[in-house]
Amino acid sequence: MELESMPKFLEKKTILVTGATGFLAKAFVEKILRVQPDVKRLYLLIRASDLASATQRLHNEVIGKDLFRVVREKWGTNLDSFISKKVIAIPGDVSYENLGVKDCKLRKDMWKELDIILNSAATTTFDERYDVALGINTFGALNVLDFAKNCINLKVLLHVSTAYVCGEKKGQILESPFKMEETLNGSSSLNIKAEKEVVEEYLNKLRGQGATDGAITSSMKDLGIKRAKLYGWPNTYVYTKAMGEMLLGRFRENLPLVIIRPTMVSSTYKEPFSGWIEGVRTIDGVVAAYGKGKLKSFLGYHETILDIIPADMVVNCMIVAMVACANQSSQIILHVGSSWRNPIKFSSFRNIIFRYFTENPLVSKNGESIKVDEGIVLSSMAIFRAYMAIRYILPLKVFQIANAVFSEYYLDSINDLERKINSGMRLAELYKPYVFFMGRFDDSNTEKLQMATNESGVDSHSFARVGAGVAVGGAVGGAVGAVYGTYEAIRFKVSGLMKIRYIGQTALGSAAMFGLFLGAGSLIHCGKSYYALFLGN
């Protein structure tokens, strides 16, 4: 497979990005603007009521973010002019026909101009309202496909999914497409069109009963989980994403389609700088809570494999896949993760964060170092429930008795505690499939893509890396960096591999931090650039 230079491929191209204010999408946009300023145009689809609102969100939630620091420094006072020429905000919504783009002339212009479509629009809430998740993750994907079919010069449609559409499978998980209306538990009754009808009937029933907005939201969330589990998926998010993949595969015809399935996406490893993350995501929340001394126990099995991948590696893979699969009239699925070539067990992760926060404790508001202990590992849901009963539920019962004696004096406090306990139990159920996950994501297609870049001698200085590697430091660094600021790496010797220095940076201040990569076989480079990170033994 001969690959064109990535910067050359993107030159003069017109790209549509849906879900443009999302984490990966804005990282993709930043990368394009930074390494190929001669891109013709970026259309960014943003959920907004009108153009003014979409433009405001573009500047506040995308361009104005610290992620664009390097681009901002490069263009200086000319940044606004550069952005106005290259980036167009479009009010729209993938849940609607034609992506909610109401301007007929604009639609026709896009159909003539577009070379690439990146669909990253999604709701990632595990227990999202079923109607919302179905509209965005499932039928939203179909709406993007229908829009793409009208584009006369389209070279590739890239759809961002998730590796966890596999549900709770164990062992090797292949980069295989779903068959239409396939289920994970062997049920033959899934009908995607009928699911939409189920939602509409359920909503009409609730409204007919005079249900409040809060009651409708709660009921629709429960419905999503119920329907997901009926067919073998653990939650609404992965279930609706899987159905979205099914629709894309079934109706794509000859349109070139790439489905990217990333695992747990964490902070950036290298580009545009190390340690950038937005908010506290997935495993980062665990690390941040532990470092601040608020997490005293871990729900998880010692042998559970954590699959973490830095955001910039996912973006690099996306771009290389666009180049490799353009005009191919085929479908390819790419796992972007680390568990196949570089697995790390939960027990190792726990030891790493304990070691770090012991040597580099965070500082509390009163200026004192926060001490952490190794924490209790709750290795099954039965143990977790027993732990919750002894530590929280039984004391709450005693509190309730005391409250009755004192004429409901503590009622507000009791209600607050009950709410927190119920929330904790619900979260444990939602995250159970992942804290006890025993699968490993085969990344053979991604590996072949990387090999093709090597064989083509692609100059990848600007697109320096694509592949699979566990960035444990990325997870820890992102979590702590997002809260406490700049951090600096310490060296960690890895068997069979030279020491690696990972220097992270955010814009919030300074705090010591570390980063590391584990496993010699995991570090995949694109072309011949290794970031010059390897230091002598």
Side-chain angles (χ1 to χ4, degrees):
M1 181 192 300
E2 287 293 326
L3 294 186
E4 186 178 4
S5 160
M6 274 75 85
K8 183 179 179 181
F9 172 79
L10 291 169
E11 187 177 5
K12 306 302 180 184
K13 293 295 188 298
T14 299
I15 305 171
L16 168 64
V17 180
T18 70
T21 59
F23 180 60
L24 276 179
K26 66 182 66 174
F28 172 83
V29 170
E30 188 280 336
K31 175 95 177 186
I32 300 299
L33 294 177
R34 174 165 44 86
V35 303
Q36 184 45 282
D38 289 329
V39 64
K40 183 177 180 180
R41 185 170 293 113
L42 289 169
Y43 287 109
L44 305 190
L45 190 75
I46 297 174
R47 294 180 72 178
S49 57
D50 53 38
L51 179 59
S53 299
T55 302
Q56 183 176 17
R57 289 196 68 191
L58 166 66
H59 289 284
N60 292 346
E61 301 177 38
V62 183
I63 304 301
K65 293 294 183 179
D66 189 53
L67 171 67
F68 287 79
R69 181 202 310 165
V70 176
V71 173
R72 198 174 295 116
E73 292 172 351
K74 176 180 178 181
W75 289 93
T77 57
N78 295 319
L79 177 66
D80 289 343
S81 175
F82 172 66
I83 295 299
S84 65
K85 291 178 181 177
K86 300 295 181 179
V87 183
I88 297 177
I90 303 175
D93 189 330
V94 298
S95 299
Y96 295 97
E97 184 181 4
N98 290 322
L99 309 185
V101 179
K102 299 176 182 178
D103 187 326
C104 294
K105 182 180 183 305
L106 176 60
R107 282 204 308 269
K108 291 179 180 179
D109 288 343
M110 293 171 69
W111 289 339
K112 292 177 183 178
E113 296 176 18
L114 284 175
D115 299 291
I116 300 165
I117 295 178
L118 167 62
N119 179 35
S120 62
T123 173
T124 59
T125 303
F126 287 175
D127 61 343
E128 180 63 90
R129 284 180 52 145
Y130 192 31
D131 54 334
V132 174
L134 202 64
I136 299 173
N137 295 344
T138 303
F139 290 100
L142 183 60
N143 289 336
V144 173
L145 178 64
D146 289 340
F147 193 89
K149 287 180 179 179
N150 288 312
C151 300
I152 59 177
N153 293 312
L154 194 73
K155 295 169 178 57
V156 64
L157 164 61
L158 190 143
H159 173 76
V160 179
S161 186
T162 170
Y164 296 98
V165 290
C166 66
E168 298 175 78
K169 288 183 179 179
K170 298 180 180 179
Q172 182 182 13
I173 300 169
L174 301 175
E175 296 163 300
S176 302
F178 282 104
K179 296 177 182 177
M180 186 62 177
E181 299 179 337
E182 173 185 350
T183 64
L184 296 184
N185 59 8
S187 170
S188 59
S189 59
L190 175 61
N191 181 318
I192 298 177
K193 183 180 179 180
E195 289 300 297
K196 191 173 184 179
E197 294 171 356
V198 167
V199 165
E200 291 171 353
E201 291 175 6
Y202 203 75
L203 277 172
N204 289 335
K205 178 182 176 181
L206 290 169
R207 289 165 181 159
Q209 294 172 346
T212 63
D213 290 344
I216 291 175
T217 295
S218 179
S219 296
M220 292 308 297
K221 285 187 173 186
D222 291 341
L223 178 64
I225 294 293
K226 179 181 178 181
R227 302 301 290 183
K229 290 185 176 181
L230 178 64
Y231 300 114
W233 280 273
N235 59 60
T236 310
Y237 167 54
V238 294
Y239 167 52
T240 53
K241 290 295 286 184
M243 288 193 289
E245 286 194 21
M246 294 176 197
L247 292 176
L248 289 174
R250 171 66 178 81
F251 296 109
R252 72 173 186 86
E253 298 174 356
N254 292 321
L255 191 142
L257 173 65
V258 178
I259 296 178
I260 294 281
R261 291 178 180 168
T263 54
M264 286 189 285
V265 183
S266 190
S267 60
T268 55
Y269 166 59
K270 178 71 177 180
E271 298 181 79
F273 48 84
S274 300
W276 177 80
I277 195 167
E278 190 167 61
V280 181
R281 307 172 58 83
T282 57
I283 200 168
D284 309 290
V286 174
V287 177
Y290 177 75
K292 289 190 280 187
K294 294 183 178 181
L295 186 63
K296 303 297 183 181
S297 60
F298 296 90
L299 178 61
Y301 182 53
H302 292 286
E303 298 298 308
T304 295
I305 295 171
L306 301 179
D307 197 318
I308 310 167
I309 191 75
D312 50 334
M313 288 189 177
V314 179
V315 168
N316 289 343
C317 185
M318 289 160 58
I319 295 173
V320 174
M322 289 174 178
V323 179
C325 301
N327 302 313
Q328 293 298 309
S329 298
S330 59
Q331 173 182 341
I332 186 171
I333 293 174
L334 301 170
H335 280 153
V336 187
S338 57
S339 57
W340 187 248
R341 302 177 189 279
N342 188 17
I344 179 172
K345 295 180 180 178
F346 168 74
S347 55
S348 298
F349 179 79
R350 175 170 160 258
N351 291 336
I352 288 169
I353 62 174
F354 172 68
R355 171 188 167 187
Y356 170 72
F357 286 113
T358 298
E359 296 176 357
N360 306 277
L362 299 179
V363 179
S364 66
K365 292 180 179 179
N366 60 12
E368 296 180 357
S369 295
I370 300 174
K371 294 182 180 180
V372 298
D373 54 34
E374 292 186 82
I376 301 170
V377 177
L378 309 173
S379 57
S380 71
M381 287 302 292
I383 293 174
F384 168 75
R385 293 187 187 101
Y387 174 82
M388 291 294 290
I390 294 170
R391 179 149 187 171
Y392 297 104
I393 297 175
L394 286 179
L396 178 61
K397 297 295 183 183
V398 174
F399 197 12
Q400 287 172 332
I401 294 172
N403 182 58
V405 173
F406 290 99
S407 304
E408 307 294 320
Y409 183 79
Y410 301 106
L411 183 60
D412 289 343
S413 296
I414 286 175
N415 289 339
D416 184 53
L417 288 171
E418 281 186 317
R419 185 167 53 253
K420 289 179 178 178
I421 290 172
N422 291 335
S423 177
M425 297 295 286
R426 182 178 177 85
L427 285 173
E429 288 293 336
L430 285 174
Y431 281 90
K432 177 181 68 175
Y434 308 107
V435 296
F436 296 114
F437 191 74
M438 296 301 291
R440 294 174 63 185
F441 297 102
D442 185 298
D443 62 355
S444 297
N445 289 343
T446 306
E447 173 72 1
K448 290 175 184 176
L449 191 65
Q450 179 264 325
M451 291 175 64
T453 63
N454 293 345
E455 293 169 359
S456 299
V458 172
D459 177 9
S460 57
H461 178 73
S462 294
F463 294 81
R465 198 177 185 106
V466 64
V470 172
V472 178
V476 181
V480 178
V483 180
Y484 293 97
T486 350
Y487 54 85
E488 180 178 271
I490 61 170
R491 294 184 182 183
F492 188 89
K493 188 171 184 179
V494 182
S495 177
L497 188 66
M498 290 177 286
K499 298 174 185 177
I500 301 174
R501 184 187 302 271
Y502 172 20
I503 300 179
Q505 176 132 13
T506 71
L508 303 177
S510 66
M513 197 54 216
F514 80 106
L516 57 128
F517 276 74
L518 301 177
S522 70
L523 298 177
I524 301 175
H525 67 288
C526 172
K528 299 180 181 179
S529 173
Y530 274 81
Y531 288 141
L533 285 176
F534 298 98
L535 306 179
N537 258 340

